[in-house]
Amino acid sequence: MPLWLNIALRSTGLFVFLLLLTRLPGRRQASRLTMFDVLTAIVLGGTTGAISLNLLPRLESGLIVLAVWSLFPLSLHFLSLKYKAARDVVQGREMVLVNHGKVLEDSLLQARLTAEDLLSRLRTKNVFNIADVEFASLETDGELSVLLKKDRAPVTAKTLGVATGQESVPQTVILDGAIMDEPLTALGLNRRWLRTELAKTGVAPENVFIGQVDHTGQVYLDLFDDSVAVSTPKTRDLLFLTLKKCQADLELYALQTGDPESQRMYGESSLALSQALRELEPLLRR
Amino acid sequence: MRKGMPVTVAGSVKQTLASLKGARATVETLASLENDAGSRAVLDRSAGLIAGVVNALEERTRALEFQEPQYKGL
């Protein structure tokens, strides 16, 4: 067998082997590489290169290295899925670096991090003041996770005590001028509904680059022609304002009328509307 | 007709009534499109509240039309 054929065959075989091997551990590995994973990759890569180029005196020795270095990590990986102890050995454990707002110098030393390292890692997390940190831990892949003190954490609707409506993922129903049927049916809508909505804004579907429908049925359109202004959906804002105006009108009528019977009716109606407004606000305003 | 009362009371009440009817229809449309059960319940309840006000106002406009017959059917 000529040398070039030999090398080509080896390379092809190893290429397929490595491709299959790297697919086996699943998604997790892609983003969370531990030191151990990196080492394995280096050994596998080096050996593969050596075998491909026919640098080893015997083919078997290279194959044995490959077998050991792929079987051991794989079996360790499957063990670590099953057992916590194996997981601690293979992936290591996360280390608490800051607890209750106090830096734990011992863990810092154990993680081989200096105070500057900690500060710079905190800064990459947009934390510039160590006094704001309640808890920070070093994950097994070297990422730092930070929990801010309650008064320094970003406000959420819950901490503000604001009621919010439910919202699910918007569906992309038009891409590159083509109507996508599957996302439409996922929302319980159809082409005819979409055409009606498009006609309302006066846009042909062919002119739409991206069209999205949120879970409330409001359509957002991005056109090929960026100079054309598309009106953004305002149904909900308008509804809220209309109801608010009606409620104010009713209060006015209650003041104007001299008839006590209708004054009571206007007052009650105004109250009913303000109750409806209170309940609708989280759904209509956002 | 009482003294000092604007002559267009029936007209403005009817305007409010029309706005409210439109609002009720919009709320009902939103309710029919809503997938989340909790939000739909809120919308249905609000539609009911608005419908109650619409009924009360309709009754009132009938009385006003009787008082201001020149604005009947406005």
Side-chain angles (χ1 to χ4, degrees):
Chain A
M1 188 166 14
L3 182 69
W4 66 268
L5 187 60
N6 189 0
I7 290 181
L9 279 180
R10 283 163 182 250
S11 303
T12 316
L14 287 169
F15 177 79
V16 175
F17 169 73
L18 278 189
L19 195 66
L20 292 179
L21 188 70
T22 45
R23 301 305 303 166
L24 267 177
R27 281 281 162 86
R28 190 194 69 87
Q29 300 292 45
S31 62
R32 292 171 59 96
L33 280 180
T34 60
M35 197 63 201
F36 180 67
D37 296 328
V38 176
L39 265 179
T40 314
I42 292 173
V43 171
L44 281 176
T47 319
T48 315
I51 300 176
S52 296
L53 288 169
N54 207 359
L55 294 179
L56 302 173
R58 305 187 59 150
L59 180 61
E60 298 92 284
S61 55
L63 290 183
I64 290 170
V65 172
L66 276 191
V68 170
W69 277 91
S70 50
L71 282 181
F72 268 56
L74 274 182
S75 47
L76 269 180
H77 179 68
F78 285 114
L79 274 180
S80 68
L81 282 181
K82 281 230 132 147
Y83 304 104
K84 169 99 176 83
R87 207 150 48 227
D88 290 345
V89 170
V90 178
Q91 296 173 13
R93 302 166 78 158
E94 72 279 2
M95 276 175 150
V96 179
L97 298 182
V98 181
N99 203 4
H100 303 303
K102 297 206 169 55
V103 182
L104 307 176
E105 289 79 8
D106 292 345
S107 340
L108 216 56
L109 199 66
Q110 246 183 55
R112 308 280 183 276
L113 282 177
T114 61
E116 285 94 334
D117 290 336
L118 178 66
L119 287 175
S120 91
R121 275 160 186 265
L122 283 174
R123 280 196 296 273
T124 61
K125 295 277 167 193
N126 271 337
V127 183
F128 290 83
N129 203 340
I130 196 138
D132 298 349
V133 180
E134 164 69 23
F135 177 90
S137 85
L138 193 66
E139 304 299 338
T140 50
D141 58 351
E143 271 281 307
L144 191 73
S145 310
V146 183
L147 177 73
L148 293 176
K149 288 193 172 138
K150 201 79 195 164
D151 56 337
R152 295 291 175 163
V155 284
T156 59
K158 197 186 167 198
T159 50
L160 286 176
V162 177
T164 51
Q166 287 287 325
E167 191 168 338
S168 48
V169 199
Q171 299 277 358
T172 307
V173 294
I174 304 182
L175 265 185
D176 256 329
I179 297 179
M180 325 283 283
D181 285 305
E182 203 180 313
L184 263 181
T185 42
L187 284 171
L189 303 168
N190 55 28
R191 272 172 182 253
R192 189 181 293 174
W193 176 87
L194 187 59
R195 285 191 194 283
T196 319
E197 290 297 309
L198 286 173
K200 277 190 208 165
T201 50
V203 173
E206 300 85 59
N207 286 337
V208 180
F209 182 50
I210 301 176
Q212 279 194 325
V213 179
D214 67 10
H215 71 292
T216 61
Q218 300 204 72
V219 189
Y220 175 81
L221 299 173
D222 186 276
L223 302 188
F224 280 114
D225 190 353
D226 287 332
S227 58
V228 178
V230 190
S231 58
T232 48
K234 293 196 184 74
T235 324
R236 291 178 174 238
D237 283 331
L238 269 179
L239 173 60
F240 189 77
L241 293 176
T242 309
L243 282 175
K244 218 162 188 175
K245 184 181 182 302
C246 290
Q247 195 245 334
D249 282 349
L250 288 174
E251 273 176 12
L252 189 68
Y253 301 150
L255 285 178
Q256 281 175 346
T257 187
D259 177 25
E261 172 70 15
S262 35
Q263 191 168 18
R264 197 178 51 80
M265 184 278 288
Y266 284 135
E268 278 172 4
S269 299
S270 158
L271 272 182
L273 276 195
S274 45
Q275 193 197 330
L277 274 169
R278 236 191 344 270
E279 288 189 0
L280 285 175
E281 185 159 17
L283 291 174
L284 300 185
R285 308 227 97 177
R286 40 178 158 224
Chain B
M1 192 172 167
R2 272 174 300 277
K3 245 181 151 180
M5 210 173 170
V7 284
T8 54
V9 163
S12 50
V13 171
K14 274 183 182 172
Q15 232 171 38
T16 308
L17 179 60
S19 303
L20 270 181
K21 278 181 176 170
R24 183 184 61 181
T26 314
V27 171
E28 281 167 355
T29 315
L30 289 180
S32 68
L33 282 173
E34 186 65 60
N35 286 320
D36 176 56
S39 306
R40 194 166 47 231
V42 170
L43 287 168
D44 283 338
R45 202 162 47 237
S46 305
L49 282 172
I50 297 170
V53 177
V54 165
N55 286 339
L57 279 189
E58 267 175 345
E59 216 165 279
R60 180 68 190 147
T61 46
R62 272 197 291 277
L64 284 172
E65 268 171 4
F66 186 69
Q67 287 172 11
E68 305 173 25
Q70 67 270 38
Y71 291 106
K72 197 170 163 64
L74 191 79

